[in-house]
Amino acid sequence: MTRQLPYAQMKAIFSRLREIEPEPKGELEHVNAFTLLVAVALSAQATDVGVNKATRGLFPVADTPEKMLALGEEGLIEKIKTIGLFRNKAKNVIKLSRILIDEYGGEVPSSRAALMSLPGVGRKTANVVLNMWFHQPAQAVDTHIFRVGNRTGIAPGKDEGAVERAIEDNVPAEFLQHAHHWLILHGRYICVARKPKCGICPIRDWCLYDQKEDA
């Protein structure tokens, strides 16, 4: 397993990432906490681009739990049928909308435990909502972060939970709020899975990856 980068190199990496993108943003389109929650739930095993295409027709008519229930499961399916697993996702979104109304006054809760009690909402989805909407330094580890964390030595771990803990334990506190966004963007566009773009990588000098390529 990749060894953990020392503190000085971690600080150098995140300082560089912050210079490049001081305020990184998630790429899922949303207008409030509810639409963010729905968008992230829909994004499981789907691309952000694909989810955005679907939600551009959905959110103008269903941007609250009440409007989502009024749209109904079949109406929702019609809006999101281009997304993988759309039937099961539609069922979960309708169920979570009802729970938000019945148990939370129609508001999205700011507790990880409460979020994870909702149908179709796992830890990763909850952490995205906590970070992006409630500005908590939660770390939503996806395949990009898992790869970058292990490949670079920023956050080595054998599973997503271990990588999440490594980020929380080892990334300097001043960078934790935006850490997962910086790492997602780096993994999506530079440190890609099959052939990382080491030649244009802004953090190459500190990365522990031993198979760097110049291309």
Side-chain angles (χ1 to χ4, degrees), residues 53-113:
K53 285 181 179 178
T55 58
R56 284 172 195 151
L58 171 63
F59 291 156
V61 297
D63 61 354
T64 66
E66 294 82 3
K67 291 178 182 177
M68 192 66 74
L69 286 184
L71 180 63
E73 189 172 329
E74 290 305 315
L76 176 54
I77 284 173
E78 188 61 29
K79 298 287 188 185
I80 66 169
K81 61 185 179 182
T82 56
I83 301 174
L85 307 175
F86 63 90
R87 292 189 184 280
N88 191 54
K89 289 176 180 179
K91 187 170 298 188
N92 284 334
V93 168
I94 294 299
K95 285 181 179 177
L96 72 81
S97 297
R98 169 53 65 191
I99 293 171
L100 289 177
I101 292 169
D102 291 347
E103 299 184 19
Y104 299 100
E107 299 294 325
V108 174
S110 59
S111 151
R112 182 185 285 117

Side-chain angles (χ1 to χ4, degrees), residues 4 10 154-157 160-171:
Q4 173 70 53
M10 295 280 281
I154 290 171
E160 292 182 351
V163 170
E164 180 182 336
R165 289 190 294 274
I167 294 172
E168 292 174 345
D169 290 346
N170 297 299
V171 173

Side-chain angles (χ1 to χ4, degrees), residues 82-158:
T82 56
I83 301 174
L85 307 175
F86 63 90
R87 292 189 184 280
N88 191 54
K89 289 176 180 179
K91 187 170 298 188
N92 284 334
V93 168
I94 294 299
K95 285 181 179 177
L96 72 81
S97 297
R98 169 53 65 191
I99 293 171
L100 289 177
I101 292 169
D102 291 347
E103 299 184 19
Y104 299 100
E107 299 294 325
V108 174
S110 59
S111 151
R112 182 185 285 117
L115 286 167
M116 290 178 63
S117 73
L118 299 171
V121 179
R123 187 178 182 89
K124 182 165 61 178
T125 295
N127 281 351
V128 172
V129 174
L130 292 174
N131 183 283
M132 289 181 62
W133 193 260
F134 295 105
H135 307 294
Q136 297 181 23
Q139 307 303 319
V141 177
D142 66 355
T143 56
H144 296 300
I145 293 181
F146 183 80
R147 178 177 67 255
V148 173
N150 278 288
R151 184 182 274 169
T152 62
I154 290 171
K158 67 183 187 303

Side-chain angles (χ1 to χ4, degrees), residues 39-56:
V40 181
L42 293 178
S43 72
Q45 299 182 46
T47 66
D48 288 359
V49 171
V51 172
N52 288 339
K53 285 181 179 178
T55 58
R56 284 172 195 151

